[in-house]
Amino acid sequence: MQTSLIRPIRLLTVLLCAAGLPLASLSAQADSSATLRGSVRIESGLPVEDALISLERDGEPCDNTAVRSLPNGSFTITKLVPGQYTLRVRRLGYEALAKPIEVRDGATRYDAVITPRPALLTFAQLEDGWTGVVGLVGDGADMEGLEGVQITVMGNDATATTDAAGRFVLPLKDLGTGALRVEREGFEPKLVSYSIDKNSLGSAVVVLDSGTVTKEWASVWTDLNQRAKWSTPRTVRVSRGELAATGAANLLQALEGAPSVKNSGVIMSRLACVFVDGLPRPGYPVDAIRTNAVEYVEAYPARTDLSRTLANRWPPNAPCGAPGSDAVARRAIDSGTGAYYIVVWTR
């Protein structure tokens, strides 16, 4: 009889923990209004995105307090009751952090600093001149490495599978920018960009969330794979890292400042036909998209999408880009020096 009561009492304690309530204060839950705000950064001050922040009280995890940090590293946990908590911060590829904090009435702020773990792989094991992508894939629910995740290079037959710690090594001979499809049964797949050159390896730290892929997503990823296989030297590919390095707020400005775009000579404009996550967005200008929301970009001047996947998906007679006229941009598109299609893959 006594044993049967232990689990319900413990569960009730956990559920009330999110509001920081003692068992005798059920009515206080509706009035809980304390808020914890803060950020997650490394020692240099750079923000850390997708860190998992959670609270504990009296050694028990507080239900409904787990949140993930935003691209600028910030986080917010609401509906707390003032009191003593333990704040935990976990992020794939970083040392875990546990810190006692006091949540006060109103708003409390705490800025966490976490430390990157040593190299994901023993790079000394790689031969001199080795080129490719190395990385780590983990579960967003606990930030632990995931085994058996398949990594596929879009437009290439190269694949790799993560080990028991979630690590992978993917040798690639072709330098430049591309995209990886990261997938495992029971999780939402992700598209991840990479860039490699003769002086550096590509790297990727990927967090997967539970879920499934829809048929629509499967078809647009098939299209992307086809375009990558049939790409021409005029195709422009830009990674998240290159876009972020420009510091530009909107995507058009970031593309204009990206070295790979400048080197290609392809002109980006608001008149291009825009696809978002493989689906057409008639009348939608590329500068309406925030840079920090973007993982990967493909751009095609007229007659360079040999797969015809973009032309086949664009609705007949649908307008491209923003309304209005820009004679210079229009001449660039018509002459083949401007991007006719811009495909944006979000994070």
Side-chain angles (χ1 to χ4, degrees), residues 99-247:
K99 197 78 173 180
I101 63 168
E102 180 183 0
V103 174
R104 300 180 296 276
D105 284 323
T108 300
R109 182 171 185 88
Y110 180 78
D111 296 308
V113 177
I114 59 177
T115 304
R117 287 177 182 165
L120 303 177
L121 302 163
T122 305
F123 294 118
Q125 295 175 351
L126 302 176
E127 299 177 357
D128 290 339
W130 187 93
T131 57
V133 183
V134 297
L136 180 65
V137 184
D139 186 342
D142 57 14
M143 292 296 166
E144 296 293 333
L146 272 176
E147 183 177 8
V149 179
Q150 181 168 314
I151 320 296
T152 305
V153 182
M154 302 305 288
N156 191 312
D157 293 329
T159 61
T161 304
T162 57
D163 64 12
R167 302 170 299 183
F168 70 89
V169 178
L170 183 58
L172 293 173
K173 294 182 179 179
D174 294 333
L175 306 182
T177 298
L180 306 173
R181 179 170 176 162
V182 182
E183 55 191 333
R184 185 180 187 272
E185 187 175 356
F187 291 84
E188 294 181 5
K190 271 193 176 181
L191 189 75
V192 180
S193 60
Y194 69 86
S195 291
I196 55 176
D197 58 40
K198 62 181 180 181
N199 298 316
S200 64
L201 305 175
S203 63
V205 176
V206 186
V207 176
L208 296 183
D209 294 310
S210 59
T212 58
V213 63
T214 64
K215 290 183 179 180
E216 186 176 54
W217 270 105
S219 68
V220 297
W221 280 27
T222 298
D223 287 354
L224 170 58
N225 195 49
Q226 286 296 106
R227 289 195 297 276
K229 286 184 176 181
W230 289 80
S231 65
T232 74
R234 296 287 286 157
T235 300
V236 182
R237 299 186 182 91
V238 191
S239 68
R240 178 183 71 181
E242 188 176 356
L243 293 170
T246 68

Side-chain angles (χ1 to χ4, degrees), residues 289-334:
I289 302 171
R290 302 289 296 178
T291 304
N292 61 14
V294 178
E295 176 65 34
Y296 181 59
V297 175
E298 313 162 68
Y300 298 86
R303 299 174 294 279
T304 61
D305 172 25
L306 302 184
S307 71
R308 298 286 298 169
T309 55
L310 299 175
N312 291 339
R313 278 192 180 270
W314 194 261
N317 303 317
C320 287
S325 61
D326 184 330
V328 174
R330 175 53 58 195
R331 283 196 296 270
I333 291 174
D334 292 343

